[in-house]
Amino acid sequence: LATREQTQFLPLAKAWNGLAFSPDGKQFYVSGGDSGLIHIFKYADGKATLEQSVQPGSGEVFLAGIAVHPTTGKLYVCNEANHEIWVLRPKTFTLEATVAAGQHPHSCVIGADRAHLYVSNWGSRNVSVVDLARLRRVRDIAVGVRPNEMAVSPDGRLFVACAGDNTVHVIQ
């Protein structure tokens, strides 16, 4: 950041918007869109190296947003093609469970309480709330057109950017 220069370029044949770091910061994960792959990079001393690419599931696949639980290290991956969230085990990256989401889940974030996952659904114009202990969707909250990226503030509010109508929704 100090020099504002690119220090490394990591080419991938297919990637989409999902990118998240492991809790210890030693790895990061990139979603592979319709390839169905999760690319796993080692990160040390400011350099990234591709360790492996895994295909944890099958069927209709278009992998998008990724969130990593800060305590358990589990990965939550949006599968836009099948309207679901994949729950992946840390270290093995195997599919533990799937959770139904709205239409075309795009991005996901862990809530401030670390007990809920919020999922922006492009096609449903809403945000799904997933109970992480029970691994089930507990409610949907209406927002604007094509909700995509989200951020959780330190006080727990969820900010949802909606690309289709240029709005930001704030959820308490």
Side-chain angles (χ1 to χ4, degrees):
L1 289 175
T3 64
R4 296 182 182 203
E5 293 180 13
Q6 178 180 309
T7 58
Q8 189 175 8
F9 177 75
L10 304 165
L12 290 170
K14 289 191 176 187
W16 192 233
N17 71 306
L19 184 135
F21 272 88
S22 62
D24 64 6
K26 294 180 180 179
Q27 287 182 316
F28 65 88
Y29 318 106
V30 178
S31 62
D34 66 358
S35 72
L37 297 173
I38 301 291
H39 306 288
I40 301 154
F41 288 85
K42 177 182 175 184
Y43 186 72
D45 301 319
K47 293 285 184 191
T49 307
L50 180 64
E51 284 187 297
Q52 63 177 320
S53 296
V54 297
Q55 192 161 20
S58 60
E60 291 190 62
V61 177
F62 192 96
L63 302 183
I66 300 175
V68 178
H69 196 281
T71 306
T72 68
K74 287 185 182 182
L75 281 75
Y76 300 91
V77 182
C78 296
N79 180 3
E80 285 190 31
N82 211 25
H83 317 295
E84 64 190 2
I85 302 302
W86 285 1
V87 182
L88 306 182
R89 292 177 180 92
K91 297 183 180 152
T92 64
F93 307 101
T94 55
L95 186 62
E96 178 179 306
T98 61
V99 180
Q103 295 294 307
H104 306 290
H106 178 71
S107 296
C108 56
V109 294
I110 305 289
D113 64 1
R114 297 183 176 187
H116 293 92
L117 179 75
Y118 298 99
V119 182
S120 63
N121 299 303
W122 275 16
S124 300
R125 297 183 180 187
N126 64 25
V127 171
S128 293
V129 181
V130 175
D131 179 325
L132 294 177
R134 297 185 294 171
L135 288 179
R136 68 182 197 102
R137 186 168 94 197
V138 293
R139 72 184 280 209
D140 294 320
I141 302 168
V143 292
V145 180
R146 290 184 80 73
N148 49 71
E149 297 307 317
M150 298 178 291
V152 177
S153 68
D155 65 6
R157 291 177 298 157
L158 177 68
F159 291 79
V160 183
C162 297
D165 59 5
N166 294 322
T167 60
V168 174
H169 293 253
V170 182
I171 300 169
Q172 294 287 9

